[in-house]
Amino acid sequence: MKHLVESAPTFEDWEGLHDALSDAYFPHAMHPSRPAAAAARSGLEVVDLDTCRLAHIRFGATVGIDSEHPGAMAVNIPLAGRLRSRIGSEDFDSGPGQATAFPPDTPARMPSWTPDLDVLGFRINADVLHRETERVFARKDVVLPSDLDLRTPEGDAWFRMVRTTFDNARDCGGVLYQDPAVAASVASMLVTGLLLAAVPADAEQAQPMRPRPVRRVIDAIEGDPARAWSPADLAEIGGVSVRRLQQAFREYVGTTPFGYLHDVRLERVHADLAHGRGGSVTDIALRWGVTHLGRFAAAYRAKYGELPSHTLASAA
């Protein structure tokens, strides 16, 4: 599958739509209420990030969907309309600002997916979900709820990340995520964001926090600031959860782990610019892991009182 598969409403029948959706998102049984011609009003767009996928799904008529979501979790986010579902023996009902998480290998039914229901789905491989859950929370017993509130600060931040990822892929035809390293980094951020949004902070077990995890992470950042670090990477090095690491950094360092990483990158770029090492401003910034050059220039000027180009020109 390509990194972006965009299907205009050209499905000739429900069987064709069923096969495309099964291949792109999850195997399922589909029960349409209208003749085959109504399938042509459906739409399917998919962004494939290898370990997870995003799928924008609309049906041209009311359909029923049955699936056990084999080998992966599905998080279905209604952009419009209401998603009513039954997972095991429990009923769920979500609308905009909410989402429903369908656990792997568990019988689930969406009995009445209507044409006004517009869903952005997030599929995560089960092994990746389990591994990242342990890395993010430094525990093995965390269970994600099926009801997700995307109106919390964490939920809203994750939803915006999902929409931005999908929109970027649509706008650039998927080129942005064709680099496996970029796709893996984006996937890791999406999974971490989901976990932090889904599991309340007070659900984490209290544990004493000492400077040692902070020191380990600082050493790792300073040793390789150009690396495309993810929150879970840094938490794993510290041996604590993502939230605990953030709290410790605020307490002992006065910033977040990524705030510290940002400062280290600025310092390394400044040193190379001041000594005229490494070519152009862009070359130097990219070498130290800076990807948002516009934000970088503004942050550099705020920290050093001049533009990066002026520092480089002074070194000539």
Side-chain angles (χ1 to χ4, degrees), residues 31-80:
H31 312 286
S33 63
R34 292 287 189 89
R41 297 192 293 271
S42 304
L44 173 63
E45 298 171 280
V46 181
V47 178
D48 186 357
L49 298 171
D50 190 26
T51 58
C52 55
R53 293 178 184 175
L54 296 172
H56 184 206
I57 307 165
R58 292 176 293 104
F59 292 120
T62 299
V63 301
I65 298 289
D66 295 309
S67 178
E68 294 188 357
H69 300 96
M73 169 174 275
V75 180
N76 289 347
I77 311 166
L79 305 179

Coordinates of all heavy atoms in Angstrom, one line a residue, residues 31-80:
H31 N -22.8 -4.8 5.9 CA -24.2 -5.1 5.6 C -24.9 -3.8 5.1 O -25.5 -3.0 5.9 CB -24.9 -5.6 6.9 CG -24.1 -6.7 7.6 ND1 -24.1 -7.9 7.2 CD2 -23.4 -6.6 8.8 CE1 -23.4 -8.7 8.0 NE2 -22.9 -7.9 8.9
P32 N -24.8 -3.5 3.8 CA -25.4 -2.3 3.3 C -27.0 -2.4 3.2 O -27.5 -3.5 3.1 CB -24.8 -2.2 1.9 CG -24.5 -3.6 1.5 CD -24.1 -4.3 2.8
S33 N -27.6 -1.2 3.3 CA -29.1 -1.1 3.3 C -29.6 -0.7 1.9 O -30.8 -0.8 1.7 CB -29.6 -0.1 4.3 OG -29.1 1.2 4.0
R34 N -28.7 -0.3 1.0 CA -29.1 0.1 -0.3 C -28.5 -0.7 -1.4 O -27.5 -1.4 -1.2 CB -28.7 1.6 -0.4 CG -29.4 2.6 0.4 CD -30.9 2.8 0.0 NE -31.5 3.9 0.7 CZ -31.5 5.1 0.3 NH1 -30.8 5.5 -0.8 NH2 -32.1 6.1 1.0
P35 N -29.0 -0.6 -2.6 CA -28.4 -1.3 -3.7 C -27.0 -0.9 -4.0 O -26.5 0.1 -3.5 CB -29.3 -0.9 -4.9 CG -30.6 -0.5 -4.3 CD -30.2 0.1 -3.0
A36 N -26.3 -1.6 -4.9 CA -24.9 -1.4 -5.2 C -24.6 0.0 -5.6 O -23.5 0.5 -5.4 CB -24.4 -2.4 -6.3
A37 N -25.5 0.7 -6.4 CA -25.2 2.0 -6.9 C -24.9 3.0 -5.8 O -24.1 4.0 -6.0 CB -26.4 2.5 -7.7
A38 N -25.4 2.8 -4.6 CA -25.2 3.8 -3.5 C -23.7 3.7 -3.0 O -23.2 4.7 -2.4 CB -26.1 3.4 -2.3
A39 N -23.0 2.7 -3.3 CA -21.6 2.6 -2.9 C -20.8 3.7 -3.6 O -19.7 4.1 -3.1 CB -21.0 1.2 -3.3
A40 N -21.2 4.1 -4.8 CA -20.5 5.2 -5.5 C -20.4 6.5 -4.8 O -19.5 7.3 -5.1 CB -21.1 5.4 -6.9
R41 N -21.2 6.7 -3.8 CA -21.2 7.9 -3.0 C -20.3 7.8 -1.8 O -20.2 8.8 -1.0 CB -22.6 8.3 -2.6 CG -23.6 8.6 -3.8 CD -24.9 9.3 -3.3 NE -25.7 8.3 -2.5 CZ -26.6 7.5 -3.0 NH1 -26.8 7.5 -4.4 NH2 -27.3 6.7 -2.3
S42 N -19.6 6.7 -1.6 CA -18.7 6.5 -0.5 C -17.4 7.1 -0.8 O -17.0 7.4 -2.0 CB -18.6 5.0 -0.2 OG -19.9 4.4 0.1
G43 N -16.5 7.2 0.2 CA -15.2 7.7 0.1 C -14.2 7.1 1.0 O -14.6 6.7 2.1
L44 N -13.0 6.9 0.6 CA -12.0 6.2 1.4 C -10.6 6.9 1.0 O -10.2 6.9 -0.1 CB -11.9 4.7 1.1 CG -10.8 4.0 1.8 CD1 -10.9 4.1 3.3 CD2 -10.8 2.5 1.4
E45 N -9.9 7.4 2.1 CA -8.6 7.9 1.9 C -7.7 7.3 3.1 O -8.2 7.2 4.2 CB -8.5 9.4 2.1 CG -9.3 10.2 1.0 CD -9.4 11.6 1.3 OE1 -10.3 12.0 2.1 OE2 -8.6 12.4 0.7
V46 N -6.5 6.9 2.8 CA -5.7 6.2 3.7 C -4.3 6.8 3.7 O -3.7 7.0 2.7 CB -5.6 4.7 3.4 CG1 -4.8 4.0 4.5 CG2 -7.0 4.1 3.4
V47 N -3.7 7.0 4.9 CA -2.3 7.3 5.1 C -1.7 6.2 5.8 O -2.1 5.8 6.9 CB -2.2 8.6 5.9 CG1 -0.7 9.0 6.1 CG2 -2.9 9.8 5.2
D48 N -0.7 5.6 5.2 CA 0.0 4.4 5.7 C 1.3 4.8 6.3 O 2.2 5.3 5.6 CB 0.2 3.4 4.6 CG 0.8 2.1 5.1 OD1 1.0 2.0 6.3 OD2 0.9 1.1 4.3
L49 N 1.5 4.7 7.6 CA 2.7 5.0 8.3 C 3.4 3.7 8.8 O 4.2 3.7 9.8 CB 2.5 5.9 9.5 CG 1.9 7.3 9.2 CD1 1.5 8.0 10.4 CD2 2.9 8.1 8.4
D50 N 3.1 2.6 8.2 CA 3.7 1.3 8.4 C 3.1 0.7 9.7 O 2.3 -0.3 9.6 CB 5.2 1.4 8.5 CG 5.9 0.0 8.6 OD1 5.2 -1.0 8.1 OD2 7.0 -0.2 9.1
T51 N 3.5 1.1 10.9 CA 3.0 0.6 12.1 C 1.6 1.0 12.5 O 1.0 0.5 13.4 CB 4.0 0.8 13.3 OG1 4.1 2.3 13.5 CG2 5.3 0.2 13.1
C52 N 1.2 2.1 11.9 CA -0.2 2.6 12.1 C -0.7 3.3 10.8 O 0.1 3.6 9.9 CB -0.3 3.6 13.3 SG 0.8 4.9 13.2
R53 N -2.0 3.4 10.7 CA -2.6 4.0 9.5 C -3.7 5.0 9.9 O -4.3 4.8 11.0 CB -3.2 3.0 8.6 CG -2.2 2.1 8.0 CD -2.9 1.0 7.1 NE -1.9 0.1 6.6 CZ -2.2 -1.0 5.9 NH1 -3.5 -1.3 5.6 NH2 -1.3 -1.8 5.4
L54 N -4.0 6.0 9.1 CA -5.1 6.8 9.2 C -6.0 6.6 8.0 O -5.6 6.4 6.9 CB -4.7 8.3 9.2 CG -3.8 8.8 10.4 CD1 -3.3 10.2 10.1 CD2 -4.5 8.7 11.7
A55 N -7.3 6.5 8.3 CA -8.3 6.2 7.3 C -9.5 7.2 7.4 O -10.1 7.2 8.5 CB -8.8 4.8 7.4
H56 N -9.8 7.9 6.4 CA -11.0 8.8 6.3 C -12.1 8.0 5.6 O -11.9 7.7 4.4 CB -10.6 10.1 5.6 CG -11.7 11.1 5.6 ND1 -11.9 12.0 4.6 CD2 -12.8 11.3 6.4 CE1 -12.9 12.7 4.8 NE2 -13.5 12.3 5.9
I57 N -13.2 7.7 6.3 CA -14.2 6.8 5.8 C -15.6 7.5 5.7 O -16.0 8.1 6.7 CB -14.3 5.6 6.7 CG1 -12.9 4.9 6.8 CG2 -15.3 4.5 6.1 CD1 -12.8 3.9 7.9
R58 N -16.3 7.4 4.6 CA -17.7 7.8 4.5 C -18.4 6.7 3.7 O -17.8 6.2 2.7 CB -17.8 9.1 3.8 CG -17.2 10.3 4.6 CD -17.3 11.6 3.7 NE -16.4 11.6 2.6 CZ -16.7 11.4 1.4 NH1 -18.0 11.1 1.0 NH2 -15.8 11.4 0.4
F59 N -19.7 6.5 4.0 CA -20.5 5.5 3.3 C -21.6 6.3 2.6 O -22.2 7.2 3.1 CB -21.0 4.4 4.2 CG -20.0 3.5 4.7 CD1 -19.8 3.4 6.1 CD2 -19.2 2.7 3.8 CE1 -18.8 2.5 6.6 CE2 -18.2 1.9 4.3 CZ -18.0 1.8 5.7
G60 N -22.0 5.8 1.4 CA -23.0 6.4 0.6 C -24.4 6.0 1.0 O -25.4 6.6 0.5
A61 N -24.5 5.1 1.9 CA -25.8 4.7 2.4 C -25.5 4.1 3.8 O -24.4 3.8 4.2 CB -26.5 3.6 1.5
T62 N -26.6 3.8 4.6 CA -26.5 3.2 5.9 C -26.0 1.8 5.8 O -26.5 1.0 5.0 CB -27.8 3.3 6.7 OG1 -28.2 4.6 6.8 CG2 -27.6 2.6 8.0
V63 N -24.9 1.5 6.5 CA -24.4 0.1 6.5 C -24.1 -0.4 7.9 O -24.0 0.5 8.8 CB -23.0 0.0 5.7 CG1 -23.2 0.5 4.3 CG2 -21.9 0.8 6.4
G64 N -24.1 -1.7 8.1 CA -23.7 -2.2 9.4 C -22.3 -2.8 9.2 O -22.0 -3.4 8.1
I65 N -21.5 -2.7 10.2 CA -20.1 -3.2 10.1 C -19.8 -4.1 11.3 O -20.1 -3.7 12.5 CB -19.1 -2.0 10.1 CG1 -19.3 -1.1 8.9 CG2 -17.7 -2.6 10.2 CD1 -18.8 -1.8 7.6
D66 N -19.3 -5.3 11.1 CA -18.9 -6.2 12.1 C -17.4 -6.5 11.9 O -17.0 -6.8 10.8 CB -19.6 -7.5 12.0 CG -21.1 -7.4 12.3 OD1 -21.5 -6.8 13.4 OD2 -21.9 -7.8 11.5
S67 N -16.6 -6.4 13.0 CA -15.2 -6.7 12.9 C -14.6 -7.1 14.3 O -15.1 -6.6 15.3 CB -14.4 -5.5 12.4 OG -13.0 -5.7 12.3
E68 N -13.6 -7.9 14.3 CA -12.9 -8.2 15.5 C -11.6 -7.4 15.6 O -10.8 -7.6 16.5 CB -12.6 -9.7 15.6 CG -13.9 -10.6 15.7 CD -13.6 -12.0 16.0 OE1 -12.4 -12.4 16.0 OE2 -14.6 -12.8 16.2
H69 N -11.3 -6.6 14.6 CA -10.1 -5.8 14.5 C -8.9 -6.7 14.8 O -8.2 -6.4 15.8 CB -10.2 -4.6 15.5 CG -11.4 -3.7 15.2 ND1 -12.6 -3.8 15.8 CD2 -11.5 -2.7 14.3 CE1 -13.4 -2.9 15.4 NE2 -12.8 -2.2 14.4
P70 N -8.6 -7.6 14.0 CA -7.6 -8.6 14.3 C -6.2 -7.9 14.3 O -5.8 -7.2 13.3 CB -7.7 -9.6 13.1 CG -8.4 -8.9 12.1 CD -9.4 -8.0 12.8
G71 N -5.4 -8.2 15.3 CA -4.0 -7.7 15.4 C -3.8 -6.3 15.5 O -2.6 -5.8 15.5
A72 N -4.8 -5.5 15.8 CA -4.6 -4.0 15.9 C -5.8 -3.4 16.6 O -6.9 -3.9 16.6 CB -4.4 -3.4 14.5
M73 N -5.5 -2.2 17.2 CA -6.6 -1.4 17.8 C -7.0 -0.3 16.7 O -6.3 0.2 15.9 CB -6.1 -0.6 19.0 CG -7.0 0.4 19.5 SD -6.5 1.2 21.1 CE -7.2 0.0 22.2
A74 N -8.3 -0.1 16.8 CA -8.9 1.0 15.9 C -9.4 2.1 16.9 O -10.1 1.8 17.8 CB -10.0 0.5 15.1
V75 N -9.1 3.3 16.6 CA -9.7 4.5 17.3 C -10.4 5.3 16.2 O -9.8 5.9 15.3 CB -8.6 5.4 17.9 CG1 -9.2 6.6 18.6 CG2 -7.7 4.6 18.9
N76 N -11.8 5.2 16.3 CA -12.6 5.9 15.3 C -13.1 7.2 15.8 O -13.7 7.3 16.9 CB -13.8 5.0 14.9 CG -13.4 3.8 14.1 OD1 -12.3 3.8 13.6 ND2 -14.3 2.9 14.0
I77 N -12.8 8.3 15.1 CA -13.1 9.7 15.5 C -14.2 10.2 14.6 O -13.9 10.5 13.5 CB -11.8 10.6 15.4 CG1 -10.6 9.9 16.1 CG2 -12.1 11.9 16.0 CD1 -9.3 10.6 15.7
P78 N -15.4 10.5 15.1 CA -16.4 11.1 14.3 C -16.1 12.6 14.1 O -15.9 13.4 15.0 CB -17.7 10.9 15.1 CG -17.4 9.9 16.2 CD -15.9 10.0 16.4
L79 N -16.0 12.9 12.8 CA -15.8 14.4 12.4 C -17.2 15.0 12.3 O -17.3 16.2 12.5 CB -15.0 14.5 11.1 CG -13.6 13.8 11.1 CD1 -13.0 14.0 9.7 CD2 -12.7 14.3 12.2
A80 N -18.2 14.2 12.0 CA -19.6 14.6 11.9 C -20.4 13.4 12.1 O -20.0 12.3 11.8 CB -19.9 15.3 10.5

